[in-house]
Structure formats: structure tokens, C-alpha cells
Amino acid sequence: MSAFTRTSRRIAQGAVISALGVAVAMGTTACSSGKISQTNNMEAAINGANGTLVLDNVDHAGAQTLNVGSIGVRNLHIIYPTGKAADIYGNGGPFQIGFSIVNDSNVRKVRLTGITPVKGKVEFLTTASDGTVTRAAGPGNAGLIAPNGALVAGFPSNVEPEVAAKDGIKRLDVELTGAGDTVAAGLNTPLTLTFEIVDLLGNSLGNQSITVQTPVDASAINERGDVVRDIQSESGN
């Protein structure tokens, strides 16, 4: 075999290997893009909105200025009604509100004093042992969050309150009424949370507020795709 023939074969083999490499790369990219697209369209693990309120009071230790921390509002959402949803939406409520609020400050207590909607009113309900329900514009002492503490409201829409209560977590009962058409599935409605900031000696340092665009929970039986799947047809990959 001549040197020219051997060289020609090597060039041809190299071209085949390169073509195979390009095909493999394109196939991998197609599958990956499918997974990325599917992930982008997957629903988040929680339905609610988050917000962070940085505390604007500062402490000093000698010449040093200490960061006093922040308040984290987590999974704030309007819970989908479990019964007579059409009537409740038509009447603008009553809607239950769910959230978790975390005080990550080491040197401040914070007290949730109230929640203001764009329309209607938010009340905090307390049920006595005899079944009597008391309504108030704020949670009172139940809304006080110690340093590094947390405050929780609302039961999951697909879990009976009696069952959820067995987790031992004390939850506020928060209700929005008179919301009109400001609350609707697929829309966000602004809720303003107001906090009183208190130092460790019990001195009030004033109030701070945060407004969070709050979504409505999709539904009590909404399915989520927890497994990433390709969106290509079976014959594609």
C-alpha cells in the first residue's frame, strides 16, 4: 500500500470520527435543552412569595457598628379555599393567609402588629375552648418573635387543621375579608406587613413595614411534576 493511500484512509477515518462527535454533541444538547425547558416550567416547591426586611436600627460596641439583622417573610400566600371556592371568590373572602416569618436578629425582638391589604381587611382570629371566636386587627402578644425565632400562620389547604395541628407548631389564624376582585387565582395582591421593633430591654424602637406581592395558592389538589422529564417525543431520544 502506497503512502498516499494510507494517508487518504487516515483522513477519511478522522472525518468519520469528527462527524460522530458532532452527532453525539447535538443529541446531548437536545436532551439537555428538553430537561432545562421542563425544569423552567415546573412549579416551585412552595406556592408563596418571599421578602426580606432589613432592620434599620443599629447597635454600637465601642467604635464598631453592629448589624442588627433582618426579618424574613417566607411562603406568604392566600390559601386556596377548600370548600365553596366560587362563592368565596365572588364574595371577596373570607380567605385564609399562610406564611412563615423568621427573625434572624440576635439583638432584636419583633412583633407583627398587622397586615394591610389593598382592599378589605385582615383580622387575626383566636378561638377559645368553648368555641368563641375573637377577632382583632393584630395578633397581640402571639405576634411577638424572639431573636432567631419564627412565627407561622395557616394550615396547608389539602390537610385538615386537626391533622396539621399534631405537628406541635403553634399557628396563627389569619383571615382576609372584603377583598373584592383584588384576590383571584393566578393574580398577585399586595399585602403590607407591619412590625414593631423592640430591643432586648423591651424598649420600642418604632415600626417598619414590608409590602409583598402575594399569590393565591393554585388549588388544594394541584399536581406538581417532581421528576424532571424530557419534552421530546419518545422517538426523539
Side-chain angles (χ1 to χ4, degrees):
M1 182 183 295
S2 67
F4 176 79
T5 302
R6 288 195 298 270
T7 301
S8 298
R9 287 188 175 180
R10 291 193 187 111
I11 292 173
Q13 289 172 350
V16 172
I17 292 172
S18 297
L20 288 173
V22 171
V24 171
M26 290 180 66
T28 304
T29 302
C31 291
S32 297
S33 64
K35 291 179 180 178
I36 291 171
S37 298
Q38 176 73 6
T39 305
N40 285 342
N41 289 301
M42 286 174 63
E43 189 172 4
I46 60 174
N47 285 343
N50 300 328
T52 300
L53 176 62
V54 177
L55 301 180
D56 57 13
N57 300 108
V58 297
D59 271 347
H60 295 85
Q64 291 186 329
T65 299
L66 303 179
N67 182 356
V68 297
S70 61
I71 302 169
V73 179
R74 301 290 178 260
N75 197 25
L76 175 62
H77 64 289
I78 295 171
I79 299 171
Y80 188 88
T82 55
K84 298 182 179 179
D87 292 339
I88 292 175
Y89 276 112
N91 295 328
F95 297 101
Q96 299 299 308
I97 298 176
F99 58 73
S100 297
I101 299 174
V102 179
N103 175 19
D104 75 355
S105 175
N106 294 316
V107 294
R108 295 287 185 266
K109 301 176 184 178
V110 297
R111 179 183 285 109
L112 176 65
T113 60
I115 301 176
T116 305
V118 68
K119 184 177 181 179
K121 62 181 178 180
V122 173
E123 294 179 305
F124 294 79
L125 282 58
T126 302
T127 303
S129 57
D130 63 358
T132 303
V133 177
T134 302
R135 296 172 174 270
N141 289 333
L144 184 65
I145 313 174
N148 298 304
L151 186 67
V152 180
F155 293 100
S157 60
N158 59 345
V159 178
E160 291 297 328
E162 294 77 11
V163 176
K166 293 179 180 179
D167 60 13
I169 299 174
K170 186 176 181 180
R171 299 168 184 261
L172 296 180
D173 187 359
V174 188
E175 187 177 86
L176 167 62
T177 57
D181 58 1
T182 62
V183 174
L187 298 179
N188 292 341
T189 186
L191 293 179
T192 300
L193 290 75
T194 302
F195 299 89
E196 180 186 14
I197 314 304
V198 182
D199 68 16
L200 296 181
L201 298 177
N203 300 311
S204 177
L205 302 176
N207 296 336
Q208 287 186 246
S209 299
I210 180 173
T211 299
V212 180
Q213 294 295 327
T214 306
V216 179
D217 191 2
S219 79
I221 56 174
N222 184 54
E223 294 184 358
R224 292 188 175 90
D226 295 325
V227 179
V228 177
R229 299 180 178 89
D230 290 332
I231 61 172
Q232 282 84 15
S233 63
E234 293 182 1
S235 60
N237 284 295

Short mmCIF file of all heavy atoms in Angstrom, two decimals, residues 66 132 153 174:
data_model
loop_
_atom_site.label_atom_id
_atom_site.label_comp_id
_atom_site.label_asym_id
_atom_site.label_seq_id
_atom_site.Cartn_x
_atom_site.Cartn_y
_atom_site.Cartn_z
N LEU A 66 -22.77 47.45 64.74
CA LEU A 66 -23.24 46.09 64.63
C LEU A 66 -24.48 46.02 63.74
O LEU A 66 -25.42 46.81 63.89
CB LEU A 66 -23.58 45.53 66.02
CG LEU A 66 -22.46 45.55 67.06
CD1 LEU A 66 -22.96 44.98 68.37
CD2 LEU A 66 -21.26 44.77 66.56
N THR A 132 -65.80 30.09 71.17
CA THR A 132 -65.98 31.52 70.89
C THR A 132 -64.79 32.05 70.11
O THR A 132 -63.63 31.80 70.47
CB THR A 132 -66.11 32.31 72.20
OG1 THR A 132 -67.22 31.79 72.96
CG2 THR A 132 -66.34 33.79 71.91
N ALA A 153 -48.33 30.93 60.24
CA ALA A 153 -49.77 31.12 60.13
C ALA A 153 -50.31 30.23 59.03
O ALA A 153 -49.66 30.02 58.01
CB ALA A 153 -50.12 32.57 59.83
N VAL A 174 -55.27 33.61 60.38
CA VAL A 174 -55.32 34.95 59.77
C VAL A 174 -56.30 34.92 58.61
O VAL A 174 -56.23 34.05 57.75
CB VAL A 174 -53.92 35.38 59.28
CG1 VAL A 174 -53.92 36.83 58.84
CG2 VAL A 174 -52.87 35.16 60.37
#
